Amino acid sequence: ENAEFVRYGVMHRNSYMDSPNLLTETFATRQNPNLFFAGQMTGVEGYVESAASGLVAGINAVRRFKGEEPVIFPQTTTIGALPHYITHAESKHFQPMNVNFGIVKELEGPRIRDKKERYEKVAERALKDLEEYLNV
């Protein structure tokens, strides 16, 4: 009952690595492809995003162990757009990011003005583009 709120939203601060310089889109380090990172320390924000980064890192760690090529998911999907963002952002201004439509590759053709329709088309394209990865 005696809580004093100094400023909203500034008491929580995550530490994160310089992913644009340190990581690949597989979440492996550039210097040692056998070393993988995932979660908020990589610059992804949120529970779902952290879990997704762990999934990508885990898939690629197993593939690396088996001597297989890594999987880089398409930028037309959120599971591909987020690792692309954290590894291609300008290092000097890099900030952690949640998944959002702004980092997903834009649709080709004329811009669809209706947001609901546009996001529906983006989702349809993502599901189609992920089909080939379901048997990885």
Side-chain angles (χ1 to χ4, degrees), residues 19-21 23 27 42-44 81-89 94 97:
S19 292
N21 286 320
L23 297 180
F27 289 94
T42 65
V44 302
L82 194 55
H84 179 79
Y85 166 78
I86 69 163
T87 57
H88 289 81
F94 178 61
M97 179 71 70

Side-chain angles (χ1 to χ4, degrees), residues 105-131:
K105 188 175 182 180
E106 290 186 25
L107 292 168
E108 293 182 10
R111 180 168 169 80
I112 301 171
R113 292 177 108 25
D114 181 77
K115 230 188 244 191
K116 183 178 177 185
E117 182 183 349
R118 183 171 66 244
Y119 293 161
E120 193 172 292
K121 295 288 184 197
V122 169
E124 288 171 3
R125 179 191 62 185
L127 290 172
K128 180 180 171 281
D129 290 353
L130 278 175
E131 283 180 7

Side-chain angles (χ1 to χ4, degrees), residues 1 14 19 25 29 43 47 55 57 64 71 81 85 99 106 112:
E1 71 186 43
N14 291 333
S19 292
E25 289 179 78
T29 61
Y47 297 119
L55 180 64
R64 176 84 180 156
V71 174
Y85 166 78
V99 162
E106 290 186 25
I112 301 171

Side-chain angles (χ1 to χ4, degrees), residues 74-91:
Q75 294 173 43
T76 56
T77 67
T78 55
I79 201 165
L82 194 55
H84 179 79
Y85 166 78
I86 69 163
T87 57
H88 289 81
E90 185 181 338
S91 177

Side-chain angles (χ1 to χ4, degrees), residues 26-43:
T26 65
F27 289 94
T29 61
R30 293 184 191 276
Q31 287 189 339
N32 181 351
N34 293 324
L35 179 62
F36 293 82
F37 287 89
Q40 289 188 327
M41 69 184 310
T42 65

